[in-house]
Amino acid sequence: MDDYIVGTLFASLFSVVFVYVLRLRSHRIKKKEKVIDTGYEIQTNPTNGEIRPVDDSDPDVIIVGAGVAGAALAYTLGKDGRRVRVIERDLTEPDRIVGELLQPGGYLKLIELGLADCVDNIDAQRVVGYALFKDGKNTKLSYPLEKFHSDVAGRSFHNGRFIQRMREKAATLPNVQLEQGTVTSLLEENGTIKGIQYKTKTGEEMKAYAPLTIVCDGCFSNLRRSLCDPKVEIPSCFVGLILENCQLPYSNHGHVILGDPSPILFYPISSTEIRCLVDIPGQKLPSLASGEMANYLKTVVAPQVPPELHDAFISAIEKGNIRTMPNRSMPAAPLPTPGALLMGDAFNMRHPLTGGGMTVALSDIVVLQNLLKPLRNLKDSDSLCKYLESFYTLRKPVASTINTLAGALYKVFCASSDQARKEMRQACFDYLSLGGACSTGPVALLSGLNPRPLSLVLHFFAVAIYGVGRLLIPFPSPKRLWIGARLISGASGIIFPIIKAEGVRQMFFPATVPAYYRAPPVK
């Protein structure tokens, strides 16, 4: 009888424990999104119902893409002690015709991130200003570098060499893992991004999980649609050539020819090579295969090239290594999403005429680094998302200034049959040629050394007013008055839509945006 009683007691106790465990398990599954500080968090992938525990072996951050933004971000977060996993489609050295000029403001950000040595040993060239050419005349514009250390200047280089140096530096950190793979989708659950799904180099389907996924997969991003409202414009295309065995009219300067129909750029990318970028408006290009492109370059572009570069330009065409690249413009239009963030060209693009893309990306990384530094735990995705909304406001002074200047200058620098636009173009050249504040102010904006939106607007309309003054002196006439009025109207029509797309409040009055004051989450 005693044996039966003992057995009954044990059976009852086992039943109570079993029921309690089942109820606890059910409760934890229902409340899994609220379990933040435990060692394990149950995550359900809605695509296949998989339940997966997340433990301490997962990274803090997954970065999609290891271009300029992704590689620099990986090193920055890794240096701050975060465990970082980077998935990049191709880890071999990239070969691109853009992303080759880093403005002085971008170089200062590179120093701030501890990445300045990445421009060493890649035959990078110092850039100290610009030379502007129009109708046989030229003017030299120097960066205002007097207040900075002698090493501070722009840098131009082969884009791929620069990226490889940053990847190598990021990979030296033990808590940063670089892996080659193609990210096919973001893993989302109840509106929160939990990680990524990707294919390895061998084609194997894999999943990776982290509290924060940062998408930096470039201008061709296939992931941005779920994280922002992309409105991509392609105003023109670049045709790229490399010139050899020649010297620029002004050494260590970028050269901008105000050509017809649009600008032509020259700048050094090594001690023996000069990059030429010919802008062609629209998306339709002369055919490369039929020789139409080569003929266009020889007959339309070559006569506008400075004499010192003409022979090397023709030689580069005849070599046949002609590359093309669409120029994209896309204002930042984020859809704040728990567990994810967009950065780099996947998030925001501007016309590459001014070479400001890398400066914006590196500046964004500095802003994000400062925001994340006080956070010990990134697992509270909702609180983190709300806190990081301040990122979109804090980045605006630099990003919006460079974006607006790039878009406005491109439109002003393009040739036009409209007399008012012609006058604006000539006024811009003459205004910059005046020297003093008329050149150092705009160049400080272009270089990222003085990213102030108000200064940009003042200089832009100063150019327009200067153009009107040229028309009215010495003898105003009704026709000249009419052209002057259209010049002011045209200038407004150029800059105000760009400012509207960037966000007037965030651009000029960031302190009035509530997120500007948002404090880090307590947890």
Side-chain angles (χ1 to χ4, degrees):
M1 179 64 73
D2 290 341
D3 290 339
Y4 285 112
I5 294 173
V6 172
T8 301
L9 287 172
F10 271 105
S12 301
L13 182 61
F14 179 81
S15 299
V16 170
V17 171
F18 182 73
V19 170
Y20 175 79
V21 169
L22 283 178
R23 291 190 64 184
L24 181 63
R25 176 185 170 90
S26 175
H27 178 75
R28 288 189 58 172
I29 290 174
K30 289 179 181 178
K31 299 292 184 181
K32 61 181 178 298
E33 291 300 326
K34 296 183 180 179
V35 180
I36 301 299
D37 294 323
T38 57
Y40 290 87
E41 176 179 280
I42 304 299
Q43 295 182 338
T44 304
N45 179 355
T47 58
N48 58 14
E50 173 193 352
I51 297 177
R52 176 194 181 280
V54 175
D55 58 30
D56 291 337
S57 65
D58 285 317
D60 299 310
V61 180
I62 291 173
I63 297 175
V64 181
V68 171
L73 183 61
Y75 176 78
T76 301
L77 296 182
K79 188 180 63 173
D80 286 349
R82 308 285 184 188
R83 292 170 301 172
V84 181
R85 187 174 182 184
V86 186
I87 309 296
E88 162 59 36
R89 183 182 59 82
D90 186 357
L91 286 172
T92 60
E93 185 175 306
D95 183 15
R96 303 180 66 204
I97 66 170
V98 291
E100 298 172 319
L101 178 62
L102 180 66
Q103 297 287 2
Y107 183 72
L108 287 174
K109 297 300 179 182
L110 211 62
I111 294 172
E112 193 171 346
L113 295 171
L115 289 164
D117 57 346
C118 290
V119 296
D120 297 336
N121 304 315
I122 60 172
D123 201 13
Q125 303 297 297
R126 282 174 58 87
V127 178
V128 297
Y130 277 87
L132 206 58
F133 292 73
K134 184 180 187 296
D135 300 332
K137 297 180 180 180
N138 65 79
T139 185
K140 186 171 73 168
L141 311 171
S142 298
Y143 293 137
L145 300 171
E146 298 80 9
K147 297 179 181 178
F148 299 95
H149 186 273
S150 60
D151 187 52
V152 176
R155 293 292 191 280
S156 53
F157 38 66
H158 281 270
N159 172 268
R161 296 176 187 174
F162 179 55
I163 287 175
Q164 286 300 90
R165 289 280 285 123
M166 288 202 292
R167 288 174 178 175
E168 290 164 6
K169 185 153 186 175
T172 62
L173 298 175
N175 51 328
V176 175
Q177 176 190 355
L178 269 72
E179 181 179 349
Q180 185 161 308
T182 302
V183 177
T184 55
S185 63
L186 301 173
L187 298 177
E188 182 264 342
E189 177 188 343
N190 298 330
T192 299
I193 303 300
K194 297 293 186 179
I196 59 168
Q197 182 163 317
Y198 69 102
K199 285 185 179 180
T200 65
K201 190 176 180 180
T202 59
E204 184 181 0
E205 290 277 359
M206 299 286 286
K207 292 173 185 174
Y209 298 86
L212 180 61
T213 299
I214 303 179
V215 177
C216 307
D217 57 345
C219 60
F220 299 104
S221 174
N222 62 341
L223 302 175
R224 65 162 68 103
R225 288 194 174 277
S226 57
L227 302 176
C228 76
D229 180 21
K231 296 177 181 177
V232 181
E233 294 182 2
I234 303 179
S236 67
C237 296
F238 268 157
V239 178
L241 299 163
I242 291 181
L243 279 57
E244 298 175 327
N245 304 317
C246 63
Q247 294 293 323
L248 289 164
Y250 296 95
S251 60
N252 301 109
H253 283 68
H255 291 58
V256 183
I257 290 84
L258 302 189
D260 187 358
S262 52
I264 307 162
L265 309 180
F266 294 93
Y267 51 88
I269 56 173
S270 76
S271 54
T272 60
E273 298 165 302
I274 294 170
R275 168 66 72 194
C276 170
L277 293 174
V278 178
D279 184 88
I280 299 180
Q283 300 180 39
K284 188 176 180 181
L285 292 172
S287 170
L288 281 168
S290 68
E292 187 183 357
M293 175 66 78
N295 184 60
Y296 174 85
L297 294 173
K298 286 180 179 180
T299 58
V300 177
V301 180
Q304 304 179 66
V305 170
E308 300 93 327
L309 303 173
H310 183 272
D311 291 347
F313 182 77
I314 296 296
S315 178
I317 296 169
E318 290 174 348
K319 282 185 179 178
N321 187 22
I322 301 172
R323 308 273 301 280
T324 63
M325 175 78 178
N327 294 324
R328 290 172 168 80
S329 176
M330 186 184 79
L335 301 173
T337 305
L341 197 68
L342 269 173
M343 293 195 75
D345 282 351
F347 173 51
N348 183 204
M349 294 180 282
R350 76 292 309 149
H351 195 285
L353 171 70
T354 59
M358 290 188 289
T359 300
V360 172
L362 295 170
S363 175
D364 284 355
I365 291 169
V366 171
V367 172
L368 182 63
Q369 178 191 30
N370 292 333
L371 285 172
L372 291 180
K373 264 184 178 178
L375 300 184
R376 179 181 58 84
N377 187 355
L378 302 180
K379 291 183 179 180
D380 188 345
S381 55
D382 290 330
S383 297
L384 179 63
C385 178
K386 189 176 181 182
Y387 169 58
L388 288 182
E389 284 182 20
S390 58
F391 166 76
Y392 304 118
T393 303
L394 295 171
R395 69 181 293 273
K396 275 295 176 180
V398 175
S400 61
T401 301
I402 292 173
N403 293 345
T404 304
L405 182 63
L409 269 186
Y410 177 70
K411 290 183 178 180
V412 170
F413 281 178
C414 284
S416 173
S417 58
D418 179 73
Q419 188 61 36
R421 290 286 294 273
K422 285 182 180 179
E423 291 293 338
M424 183 69 178
R425 193 186 197 209
Q426 185 64 49
C428 188
F429 180 84
D430 291 345
Y431 181 85
L432 293 170
S433 300
L434 291 174
C438 296
S439 64
T440 57
V443 172
L445 290 164
L446 183 147
S447 63
L449 295 172
N450 180 34
R452 296 182 181 178
L454 185 58
S455 178
L456 166 62
V457 173
L458 290 175
H459 277 289
F460 188 80
F461 280 103
V463 170
I465 293 168
Y466 177 78
V468 174
R470 288 175 65 255
L471 284 167
L472 302 185
I473 296 173
F475 303 111
S477 66
K479 181 181 179 182
R480 286 172 172 263
L481 283 168
W482 173 241
I483 294 173
R486 285 174 46 224
L487 193 158
I488 295 292
S489 174
S492 302
I494 286 173
I495 197 167
F496 286 145
I498 303 174
I499 290 174
K500 182 181 178 183
E502 288 292 323
V504 176
R505 187 180 179 189
Q506 293 89 341
M507 189 170 173
F508 294 99
F509 312 104
T512 68
V513 179
Y516 189 85
Y517 300 101
R518 198 153 283 163
V522 176
K523 292 185 179 180

